[in-house]
Amino acid sequence: MSLTNLFSLEGKKIAYSGATGVLGTTMSKHLADQGAEVLIIGRTPEKVNQLVNEINASGGKAFGYFADVTDEESLEKAAKIIESQHGHIDVLINSAGGNMPGAVIRPDQNFLDLDTASLRKVIDLNYLGTVLPIKVLLPLMLKQNKGNILNISSMAATRPMTRVMGYASAKAAIDNLTKWLSVELAQKHGPEFRVNAIAPGFFLTEQNRTLLTESDGSLTQRGNQIKTHTPMNRFGKPEDLLGTLQWLCSDASAFVTGTIIPLDGGFSAYSGV
């Protein structure tokens, strides 16, 4: 098999939750450019429709479905429509996630200031927002006895950052889920089921922009600390994710499962000395 065929995504049906953010938009557009049919799942119709329209206008194939990833019933409704229109899916990408101020411990706070309700919402969004799409959409993979699941983790999962206690805990759970599920599916459903995750380092997104940059575009103290501890001395660009995304979604990674791939400019390798 040629390298072109090995990495091909042509005709693959890829369901993608949480695709309307900065990173997800770039990734979903790339998948469509490579010939995949991208099934965008999101809870905000305006954002979903905008991304679907942009992909289709550029010659790709995208379809929009509306569901809250923390609501199993709404996911089941979307899954029924997907099944009726596409029959099965080949790949599921789970990137819904985020943080809330109440689940952050600011420098002028301590652990006792943690807001339990906010923490619960962060855990629900990042962890259950991955578990439930897998549970609901896995039957669309079982129909053809193979499937590929790609979760989105974070550097915060293995290198707990100050402040983002709730988010880091939730992403650590994603790492554990990825490994556990890779064994579960391979042993009970066969070797053509695999589960992996990518763990982005620091990228400027709408979620963290105010944390890392000032209003004039200069870096905050935290932004400077992160850049200093990244050997490549820069933040990631959305395009930096695409090579690994292509590899993990394609047959080129057919013997890869249970892994969490860091895309962090060397952040996780640097001790600071």
Side-chain angles (χ1 to χ4, degrees), residues 13-16 39-41 63-67 75-89 92 136-137 140 143:
K13 301 177 188 290
I14 301 180
Y16 198 144
L39 318 182
I40 306 295
I41 303 169
F63 307 83
Y65 304 92
F66 311 125
L75 283 166
E76 288 173 344
K77 290 179 181 178
K80 288 180 180 178
I81 299 173
I82 291 172
E83 182 176 19
S84 68
Q85 294 179 346
H86 302 280
H88 72 276
I89 61 172
L92 170 61
V136 171
L137 292 169
L140 301 188
K143 291 178 67 173

Side-chain angles (χ1 to χ4, degrees), residues 122-123 126-127 130 151-161 164-180 197-199 260:
V122 170
I123 297 295
N126 290 278
Y127 184 67
T130 294
N151 298 324
I152 307 299
S153 181
S154 167
M155 276 296 98
T158 53
R159 298 282 298 274
M161 314 296 174
V164 291
M165 176 268 199
Y167 179 78
S169 298
K171 287 302 188 181
I174 293 298
D175 284 6
N176 188 278
L177 171 69
T178 298
K179 294 177 181 180
W180 182 89
I198 59 175
I260 294 93

